[in-house]
Amino acid sequence: MTALPDPAETASGLEADHPGWVVLWRCWARRFWAFPCWVATDPEPVEAARPHDLLTLMEEVELRHQPPAGHPYPPIQRGSRLPAA
């Protein structure tokens, strides 16, 4: 039997792979939250139950709120490496 990945470790991995975002696992809700660090007003946190869904929402935020010029963080790319499920 294969052990499921720890969601908190998955959140930490997503945050490490996507600088410019703070990613949290809300254990009581059993959902991931991600906050964009460059959006000054209404940071629009996004949440999802699965990491892949969270990445899709993060990408949508990046499309609506383009990071400022010289933003050191690469944008979310479709097909980004996901933590092992």
Side-chain angles (χ1 to χ4, degrees):
M1 183 163 120
T2 304
L4 295 175
D6 177 24
E9 288 179 19
T10 299
S12 183
L14 287 170
E15 184 174 317
D17 289 345
H18 302 288
W21 288 88
V22 173
V23 180
L24 306 170
W25 167 250
R26 298 181 338 163
C27 59
W28 62 271
R30 303 186 58 80
R31 296 180 68 82
F32 295 94
W33 259 19
F35 297 83
C37 296
W38 72 93
V39 181
T41 59
D42 300 320
E44 295 189 40
V46 293
E47 70 174 291
R50 298 181 311 186
H52 180 53
D53 295 337
L54 187 72
L55 285 172
T56 298
L57 294 171
M58 291 164 64
E59 180 183 46
E60 290 173 7
V61 168
E62 288 184 354
L63 292 172
R64 281 195 314 272
H65 299 282
Q66 291 295 316
H71 187 281
Y73 313 121
I76 303 288
Q77 298 292 320
R78 287 227 182 258
S80 293
R81 181 176 69 86
L82 289 174

XYZ file of all heavy atoms in Angstrom:
676
model
N 0.849 -1.173 0.000
C 0.000 0.000 0.000
C 0.900 1.244 0.000
O 1.834 1.337 0.777
C -0.893 -0.018 1.233
C -1.855 1.134 1.274
S -3.163 0.778 2.449
C -2.932 2.129 3.562
N 0.602 2.182 -0.862
C 1.394 3.405 -0.974
C 0.815 4.480 -0.066
O -0.398 4.709 -0.067
C 1.385 3.910 -2.430
O 1.857 2.872 -3.270
C 2.247 5.134 -2.583
N 1.675 5.122 0.687
C 1.225 6.195 1.572
C 0.909 7.443 0.754
O 1.597 7.750 -0.217
C 2.302 6.511 2.603
N -0.133 8.140 1.139
C -0.488 9.398 0.477
C 0.491 10.485 0.897
O 0.982 10.485 2.025
C -1.914 9.810 0.851
C -3.027 8.888 0.365
C -4.365 9.342 0.920
C -3.057 8.848 -1.151
N 0.785 11.443 -0.002
C 1.691 12.522 0.372
C 1.058 13.411 1.443
O -0.161 13.569 1.488
C 1.907 13.289 -0.932
C 0.745 12.935 -1.793
C 0.300 11.562 -1.373
N 1.895 13.960 2.287
C 1.426 14.883 3.317
C 1.001 16.184 2.644
O 1.810 16.813 1.951
C 2.559 15.135 4.314
C 2.190 16.138 5.383
O 0.985 16.310 5.658
O 3.118 16.751 5.950
N -0.259 16.615 2.813
C -0.719 17.839 2.159
C 0.095 19.076 2.545
O 0.314 19.959 1.706
C -2.173 17.975 2.609
C -2.575 16.632 3.073
C -1.332 15.959 3.559
N 0.546 19.158 3.785
C 1.352 20.307 4.198
C 2.674 20.332 3.436
O 3.151 21.400 3.037
C 1.594 20.281 5.702
N 3.264 19.149 3.201
C 4.492 19.072 2.413
C 4.219 19.406 0.950
O 5.037 20.045 0.286
C 5.119 17.691 2.531
C 5.741 17.434 3.886
C 6.345 16.042 3.997
O 6.604 15.409 2.949
O 6.562 15.595 5.130
N 3.068 19.007 0.450
C 2.677 19.349 -0.914
C 2.558 20.866 -1.051
O 3.055 21.452 -2.014
C 1.346 18.671 -1.291
O 1.516 17.257 -1.221
C 0.894 19.065 -2.686
N 1.916 21.515 -0.080
C 1.781 22.976 -0.099
C 3.151 23.639 -0.061
O 3.415 24.596 -0.808
C 0.928 23.453 1.076
N 4.029 23.133 0.764
C 5.380 23.680 0.858
C 6.121 23.528 -0.466
O 6.829 24.439 -0.913
C 6.126 22.983 1.994
O 7.403 23.524 2.149
N 5.959 22.383 -1.118
C 6.580 22.154 -2.410
C 6.042 23.076 -3.489
O 6.795 23.599 -4.317
N 4.724 23.288 -3.489
C 4.128 24.207 -4.454
C 4.670 25.618 -4.254
O 4.978 26.323 -5.221
C 2.599 24.215 -4.314
C 1.869 22.989 -4.835
C 0.411 23.021 -4.401
C 1.979 22.913 -6.348
N 4.780 26.037 -3.012
C 5.308 27.371 -2.716
C 6.759 27.487 -3.181
O 7.154 28.498 -3.772
C 5.190 27.663 -1.229
C 5.625 29.059 -0.860
C 5.370 29.387 0.591
O 4.279 29.047 1.113
O 6.273 29.968 1.211
N 7.550 26.456 -2.941
C 8.953 26.480 -3.359
C 9.085 26.510 -4.876
O 9.959 27.184 -5.418
C 9.691 25.271 -2.789
N 8.194 25.805 -5.569
C 8.242 25.752 -7.024
C 7.663 26.990 -7.695
O 7.894 27.204 -8.885
C 7.476 24.523 -7.535
C 8.186 23.217 -7.242
O 9.394 23.253 -6.897
O 7.537 22.163 -7.345
N 6.906 27.786 -6.946
C 6.234 28.960 -7.516
C 6.472 30.180 -6.639
O 5.578 30.627 -5.904
C 4.742 28.677 -7.688
C 4.496 27.486 -8.558
N 4.700 27.501 -9.918
C 4.133 26.225 -8.258
C 4.445 26.306 -10.413
N 4.100 25.512 -9.421
N 7.696 30.732 -6.703
C 7.993 31.930 -5.914
C 7.009 33.046 -6.271
O 6.532 33.123 -7.397
C 9.412 32.298 -6.335
C 9.980 31.067 -6.936
C 8.811 30.319 -7.527
N 6.732 33.877 -5.309
C 5.745 34.937 -5.514
C 4.378 34.552 -4.970
O 3.466 35.362 -4.950
N 4.259 33.325 -4.533
C 3.022 32.819 -3.949
C 3.296 32.270 -2.558
O 4.332 31.660 -2.320
C 2.456 31.682 -4.798
C 1.884 32.131 -6.095
C 2.567 32.279 -7.279
C 0.544 32.498 -6.352
N 1.707 32.710 -8.251
C 0.455 32.854 -7.710
C -0.603 32.558 -5.566
C -0.732 33.273 -8.294
C -1.791 32.967 -6.151
C -1.845 33.324 -7.503
N 2.334 32.462 -1.667
C 2.345 31.788 -0.369
C 1.260 30.718 -0.466
O 0.107 31.027 -0.787
C 2.040 32.771 0.792
C 1.878 32.021 2.099
C 3.128 33.814 0.885
N 1.629 29.471 -0.238
C 0.690 28.358 -0.366
C 0.544 27.688 0.994
O 1.533 27.356 1.645
C 1.167 27.344 -1.427
C 0.174 26.196 -1.555
C 1.376 28.028 -2.776
N -0.680 27.500 1.405
C -0.988 26.908 2.705
C -1.926 25.718 2.543
O -2.749 25.693 1.632
C -1.690 27.932 3.601
C -1.009 29.269 3.823
C -1.950 30.221 4.522
C 0.255 29.068 4.616
N -1.812 24.783 3.455
C -2.778 23.690 3.565
C -3.645 23.989 4.772
O -3.144 24.133 5.884
C -2.067 22.361 3.739
C -2.967 21.230 4.160
C -2.974 20.608 5.372
C -3.986 20.601 3.381
N -3.930 19.624 5.384
C -4.573 19.603 4.179
C -4.467 20.792 2.083
C -5.604 18.782 3.719
C -5.495 19.980 1.627
C -6.052 18.991 2.430
N -4.932 24.145 4.565
C -5.868 24.383 5.667
C -6.425 23.023 6.079
O -7.370 22.525 5.473
C -6.989 25.317 5.224
C -6.494 26.675 4.827
C -7.587 27.625 4.416
N -8.798 26.945 4.003
C -9.984 27.508 3.899
N -10.131 28.777 4.166
N -11.034 26.843 3.513
N -5.833 22.447 7.117
C -6.189 21.078 7.486
C -7.654 20.951 7.895
O -8.293 19.957 7.561
C -5.254 20.535 8.554
S -5.220 21.470 10.067
N -8.194 21.928 8.586
C -9.586 21.821 9.031
C -10.552 21.834 7.853
O -11.619 21.234 7.912
C -9.931 22.927 10.029
C -9.820 24.307 9.452
C -8.708 25.101 9.426
C -10.834 25.050 8.798
N -8.966 26.282 8.795
C -10.287 26.289 8.396
C -12.178 24.803 8.510
C -11.011 27.260 7.728
C -12.898 25.783 7.843
C -12.320 26.991 7.465
N -10.198 22.509 6.753
C -11.058 22.566 5.567
C -10.656 21.523 4.528
O -11.389 21.304 3.561
C -10.992 23.957 4.942
N -9.455 20.935 4.720
C -8.907 19.964 3.774
C -8.802 20.554 2.371
O -9.178 19.946 1.386
C -9.723 18.673 3.783
C -9.786 18.045 5.177
C -10.462 16.713 5.221
N -9.874 15.698 4.371
C -8.784 14.986 4.662
N -8.145 15.205 5.782
N -8.333 14.070 3.837
N -8.262 21.799 2.323
C -8.105 22.519 1.054
C -6.801 23.303 1.060
O -6.297 23.667 2.116
C -9.276 23.481 0.831
C -10.599 22.733 0.681
C -11.772 23.640 0.449
N -11.759 24.303 -0.823
C -12.166 23.791 -1.972
N -12.587 22.551 -2.016
N -12.165 24.489 -3.075
N -6.270 23.536 -0.132
C -5.085 24.363 -0.309
C -5.521 25.802 -0.556
O -6.533 26.046 -1.210
C -4.265 23.878 -1.518
C -3.692 22.508 -1.345
C -4.367 21.392 -1.813
C -2.470 22.329 -0.717
C -3.841 20.116 -1.656
C -1.931 21.062 -0.552
C -2.625 19.963 -1.021
N -4.739 26.755 -0.061
C -4.933 28.182 -0.318
C -3.638 28.723 -0.885
O -2.548 28.347 -0.433
C -5.227 28.924 0.973
C -6.659 29.238 1.206
C -7.750 28.664 0.630
C -7.159 30.215 2.114
N -8.892 29.207 1.128
C -8.557 30.168 2.048
C -6.569 31.116 2.984
C -9.368 31.003 2.800
C -7.381 31.924 3.737
C -8.754 31.882 3.647
N -3.754 29.667 -1.825
C -2.570 30.324 -2.371
C -2.836 31.822 -2.444
O -3.908 32.253 -2.868
C -2.238 29.779 -3.756
N -1.854 32.595 -1.997
C -1.951 34.056 -1.982
C -0.856 34.637 -2.873
O 0.319 34.348 -2.658
C -1.723 34.592 -0.559
C -2.749 34.137 0.431
C -2.632 32.905 1.045
C -3.819 34.943 0.746
C -3.573 32.476 1.962
C -4.765 34.520 1.664
C -4.650 33.287 2.270
N -1.205 35.488 -3.862
C -0.176 36.134 -4.674
C 0.472 37.254 -3.867
O -0.206 38.039 -3.222
C -0.957 36.681 -5.879
C -2.345 36.912 -5.348
C -2.560 35.856 -4.294
N 1.778 37.327 -3.880
C 2.496 38.312 -3.061
C 2.640 39.671 -3.732
O 2.974 40.635 -3.063
C 3.888 37.779 -2.709
S 3.835 36.316 -1.678
N 2.430 39.776 -5.031
C 2.653 41.042 -5.726
C 1.379 41.861 -5.921
O 1.448 43.006 -6.332
C 3.311 40.787 -7.089
C 2.378 40.168 -8.075
C 1.601 40.816 -9.002
C 2.087 38.796 -8.212
N 0.847 39.912 -9.698
C 1.135 38.654 -9.239
C 2.544 37.645 -7.568
C 0.625 37.423 -9.626
C 2.039 36.426 -7.960
C 1.091 36.317 -8.973
N 0.196 41.308 -5.642
C -1.056 42.047 -5.804
C -1.262 42.887 -4.555
O -1.437 42.352 -3.462
C -2.246 41.094 -6.040
C -3.521 41.878 -6.218
C -1.988 40.217 -7.256
N -1.220 44.223 -4.720
C -1.244 45.121 -3.567
C -2.649 45.288 -2.981
O -2.802 45.447 -1.781
C -0.682 46.481 -3.953
N -3.665 45.297 -3.819
C -5.033 45.458 -3.317
C -5.826 44.203 -3.651
O -5.667 43.617 -4.718
C -5.727 46.675 -3.960
O -5.744 46.490 -5.376
C -4.990 47.952 -3.625
N -6.651 43.798 -2.738
C -7.464 42.600 -2.940
C -6.610 41.452 -3.469
O -6.701 41.081 -4.636
C -8.617 42.889 -3.911
C -9.537 43.975 -3.396
O -9.817 43.987 -2.184
O -9.955 44.833 -4.197
N -5.788 40.857 -2.627
C -4.836 39.855 -3.115
C -5.458 38.608 -3.716
O -4.759 37.777 -4.262
C -4.006 39.521 -1.881
C -4.852 39.917 -0.737
C -5.692 41.061 -1.205
N -6.762 38.464 -3.645
C -7.449 37.347 -4.277
C -6.838 35.982 -3.971
O -6.305 35.324 -4.858
C -7.492 37.536 -5.798
C -8.299 38.712 -6.233
C -8.491 38.734 -7.746
O -8.714 37.662 -8.339
O -8.421 39.818 -8.305
N -6.887 35.547 -2.728
C -6.411 34.188 -2.481
C -7.290 33.204 -3.254
O -8.469 33.466 -3.494
C -6.559 34.015 -0.977
C -7.594 35.012 -0.584
C -7.464 36.152 -1.550
N -6.708 32.120 -3.685
C -7.464 31.085 -4.379
C -7.377 29.812 -3.550
O -6.437 29.621 -2.786
C -6.941 30.860 -5.816
C -7.205 32.087 -6.668
C -5.458 30.527 -5.832
N -8.375 28.959 -3.704
C -8.354 27.716 -2.939
C -8.901 26.576 -3.777
O -9.733 26.772 -4.664
C -9.128 27.843 -1.633
C -10.616 27.958 -1.762
C -11.303 27.932 -0.402
O -11.292 26.872 0.257
O -11.841 28.965 -0.033
N -8.387 25.394 -3.488
C -8.809 24.188 -4.198
C -8.482 22.973 -3.335
O -7.613 23.028 -2.473
C -8.099 24.080 -5.539
N -9.163 21.901 -3.613
C -8.931 20.661 -2.876
C -7.728 19.899 -3.418
O -7.084 19.161 -2.687
C -10.171 19.775 -2.922
N -7.418 20.089 -4.713
C -6.319 19.341 -5.332
C -5.241 20.296 -5.836
O -5.545 21.393 -6.324
C -6.846 18.508 -6.487
C -7.866 17.472 -6.030
C -8.374 16.634 -7.146
N -8.784 17.500 -8.267
C -9.383 17.078 -9.346
N -9.644 15.808 -9.492
N -9.729 17.905 -10.306
N -3.976 19.895 -5.748
C -2.874 20.761 -6.186
C -2.990 21.209 -7.640
O -2.737 22.372 -7.950
C -1.622 19.911 -5.978
C -2.000 18.907 -4.959
C -3.467 18.645 -5.155
N -3.399 20.317 -8.532
C -3.505 20.673 -9.942
C -4.555 21.773 -10.140
O -4.343 22.712 -10.914
C -3.837 19.440 -10.780
C -3.950 19.735 -12.237
N -2.954 20.379 -12.939
C -4.933 19.500 -13.127
C -3.327 20.514 -14.205
N -4.520 19.985 -14.334
N -5.668 21.655 -9.441
C -6.708 22.680 -9.538
C -6.211 24.016 -8.987
O -6.533 25.076 -9.519
C -7.970 22.243 -8.790
C -8.617 21.024 -9.420
O -8.395 20.774 -10.635
O -9.333 20.301 -8.697
N -5.422 23.961 -7.918
C -4.868 25.186 -7.343
C -3.943 25.873 -8.350
O -4.012 27.088 -8.537
C -4.110 24.881 -6.050
C -3.643 26.112 -5.288
C -4.827 26.823 -4.643
C -2.623 25.736 -4.236
N -3.100 25.097 -9.037
C -2.202 25.684 -10.034
C -2.975 26.361 -11.162
O -2.584 27.427 -11.644
C -1.269 24.619 -10.605
C -0.144 24.176 -9.691
C 0.592 22.989 -10.294
C 0.816 25.319 -9.427
N -4.083 25.777 -11.574
C -4.917 26.389 -12.610
C -5.453 27.736 -12.133
O -5.416 28.732 -12.868
C -6.075 25.449 -12.999
O -5.533 24.242 -13.527
C -6.998 26.096 -14.015
N -5.920 27.795 -10.895
C -6.437 29.057 -10.349
C -5.324 30.089 -10.190
O -5.538 31.283 -10.438
C -7.127 28.791 -9.006
C -8.397 27.941 -9.092
C -8.863 27.561 -7.693
C -9.484 28.674 -9.854
N -4.143 29.641 -9.791
C -3.006 30.554 -9.658
C -2.655 31.157 -11.020
O -2.385 32.361 -11.130
C -1.805 29.813 -9.064
C -2.000 29.425 -7.603
S -0.837 28.175 -6.982
C 0.728 29.021 -7.095
N -2.695 30.352 -12.048
C -2.414 30.827 -13.400
C -3.441 31.883 -13.813
O -3.090 32.901 -14.413
C -2.440 29.658 -14.381
C -2.162 30.068 -15.806
C -2.259 28.894 -16.757
O -3.235 28.104 -16.662
O -1.362 28.759 -17.590
N -4.705 31.667 -13.493
C -5.760 32.634 -13.830
C -5.516 33.974 -13.131
O -5.714 35.031 -13.730
C -7.125 32.070 -13.466
C -7.553 30.922 -14.355
C -8.827 30.249 -13.895
O -9.479 30.740 -12.940
O -9.179 29.209 -14.487
N -5.086 33.933 -11.870
C -4.778 35.175 -11.157
C -3.628 35.898 -11.849
O -3.668 37.117 -12.039
C -4.446 34.914 -9.668
C -3.857 36.147 -9.003
C -5.687 34.448 -8.924
N -2.615 35.155 -12.265
C -1.472 35.771 -12.939
C -1.885 36.413 -14.260
O -1.346 37.441 -14.650
C -0.362 34.752 -13.158
C 0.326 34.381 -11.871
C 1.502 33.446 -12.069
O 1.738 32.986 -13.202
O 2.193 33.182 -11.072
N -2.852 35.826 -14.943
C -3.332 36.418 -16.186
C -4.119 37.696 -15.931
O -4.055 38.640 -16.713
C -4.183 35.403 -16.961
C -3.424 34.207 -17.535
C -4.394 33.189 -18.115
C -2.418 34.666 -18.579
N -4.889 37.744 -14.847
C -5.680 38.948 -14.506
C -4.825 40.045 -13.900
O -5.114 41.225 -14.065
C -6.794 38.576 -13.522
C -7.976 37.926 -14.154
C -9.194 37.902 -13.230
N -8.915 37.487 -11.866
C -8.924 36.230 -11.422
N -9.154 35.244 -12.240
N -8.682 35.968 -10.158
N -3.823 39.677 -13.138
C -2.966 40.628 -12.421
C -1.521 40.379 -12.828
O -0.789 39.688 -12.121
C -3.107 40.459 -10.904
C -4.481 40.689 -10.402
N -5.004 41.942 -10.221
C -5.457 39.815 -10.049
C -6.238 41.844 -9.773
N -6.535 40.565 -9.656
N -1.143 40.922 -13.955
C 0.221 40.730 -14.426
C 1.205 41.220 -13.378
O 1.061 42.322 -12.857
C 0.439 41.486 -15.733
C -0.317 40.902 -16.899
C 0.152 39.510 -17.252
O 1.349 39.249 -17.294
N -0.775 38.614 -17.495
N 2.194 40.416 -13.055
C 3.229 40.881 -12.128
C 3.919 42.112 -12.699
O 3.991 42.275 -13.921
C 4.191 39.695 -12.047
C 3.338 38.510 -12.394
C 2.379 39.020 -13.425
N 4.404 43.009 -11.857
C 5.046 44.231 -12.341
C 6.305 43.928 -13.141
O 6.892 42.853 -13.022
C 5.385 44.993 -11.055
C 5.400 43.959 -9.993
C 4.437 42.890 -10.412
N 6.697 44.900 -13.962
C 7.922 44.758 -14.752
C 9.077 44.433 -13.818
O 9.178 44.965 -12.716
C 8.198 46.039 -15.519
N 9.932 43.565 -14.255
C 11.068 43.172 -13.428
C 10.707 42.169 -12.347
O 11.521 41.856 -11.492
N 9.471 41.668 -12.376
C 9.034 40.665 -11.407
C 9.974 39.472 -11.506
O 10.150 38.907 -12.584
C 7.599 40.263 -11.737
C 6.960 39.372 -10.732
N 7.209 38.020 -10.663
C 6.070 39.626 -9.750
C 6.496 37.490 -9.698
N 5.794 38.441 -9.130
N 10.612 39.081 -10.420
C 11.626 38.023 -10.499
C 11.061 36.614 -10.567
O 11.817 35.664 -10.642
C 12.412 38.215 -9.197
C 11.408 38.771 -8.253
C 10.512 39.648 -9.087
N 9.750 36.473 -10.538
C 9.175 35.149 -10.454
C 8.640 34.706 -11.807
O 7.942 35.447 -12.466
C 8.036 35.117 -9.438
C 8.390 35.776 -8.142
C 7.659 36.844 -7.666
C 9.477 35.334 -7.405
C 7.982 37.453 -6.473
C 9.810 35.945 -6.210
C 9.062 36.996 -5.758
O 9.392 37.603 -4.583
N 8.930 33.490 -12.222
C 8.387 33.003 -13.497
C 6.888 32.761 -13.362
O 6.409 32.406 -12.289
C 9.138 31.686 -13.715
C 9.535 31.247 -12.352
C 9.752 32.510 -11.546
N 6.128 32.972 -14.432
C 4.689 32.708 -14.365
C 4.409 31.216 -14.271
O 5.240 30.386 -14.629
C 4.159 33.285 -15.680
C 5.325 33.244 -16.603
C 6.547 33.433 -15.743
N 3.221 30.893 -13.799
C 2.774 29.503 -13.755
C 2.642 29.033 -15.196
O 2.105 29.735 -16.035
C 1.398 29.388 -13.057
C 1.424 29.973 -11.655
C 0.880 27.950 -13.074
C 2.170 29.171 -10.644
N 3.127 27.881 -15.482
C 3.021 27.317 -16.836
C 2.134 26.080 -16.790
O 2.250 25.274 -15.879
C 4.408 26.918 -17.355
C 5.363 28.069 -17.471
C 4.963 29.037 -18.551
O 4.513 28.630 -19.615
N 5.112 30.309 -18.294
N 1.264 25.962 -17.770
C 0.462 24.741 -17.861
C 1.414 23.572 -17.979
O 2.441 23.659 -18.631
C -0.457 24.790 -19.063
C -1.594 25.753 -18.853
C -2.887 25.111 -19.256
N -3.976 26.046 -19.092
C -4.805 26.011 -18.082
N -4.671 25.099 -17.159
N -5.775 26.886 -17.974
N 1.085 22.502 -17.322
C 1.961 21.340 -17.339
C 3.100 21.459 -16.357
O 4.066 20.727 -16.426
N 2.997 22.433 -15.414
C 4.048 22.585 -14.405
C 4.195 21.290 -13.630
O 3.250 20.519 -13.494
C 3.690 23.694 -13.416
O 3.698 24.940 -14.031
N 5.378 21.086 -13.123
C 5.636 19.898 -12.327
C 4.746 19.927 -11.089
O 4.714 20.900 -10.361
C 7.102 19.870 -11.916
C 7.460 18.663 -11.105
C 8.946 18.639 -10.822
N 9.360 19.688 -9.918
C 9.327 19.598 -8.590
N 8.866 18.520 -8.020
N 9.746 20.588 -7.837
N 4.022 18.865 -10.894
C 3.174 18.739 -9.706
C 3.839 17.804 -8.727
O 4.559 16.882 -9.114
C 1.809 18.146 -10.088
C 0.878 19.046 -10.875
C -0.342 18.250 -11.289
C 0.467 20.239 -10.066
N 3.604 18.048 -7.445
C 4.112 17.094 -6.462
C 3.483 15.715 -6.714
O 2.408 15.619 -7.275
C 3.639 17.660 -5.123
C 3.205 19.048 -5.396
C 2.877 19.128 -6.853
N 4.157 14.683 -6.314
C 3.622 13.331 -6.484
C 2.278 13.223 -5.787
O 2.086 13.725 -4.695
C 4.599 12.316 -5.909
N 1.331 12.611 -6.451
C -0.010 12.471 -5.880
C -0.187 11.128 -5.225
O 0.468 10.191 -5.465
C -1.068 12.666 -6.944
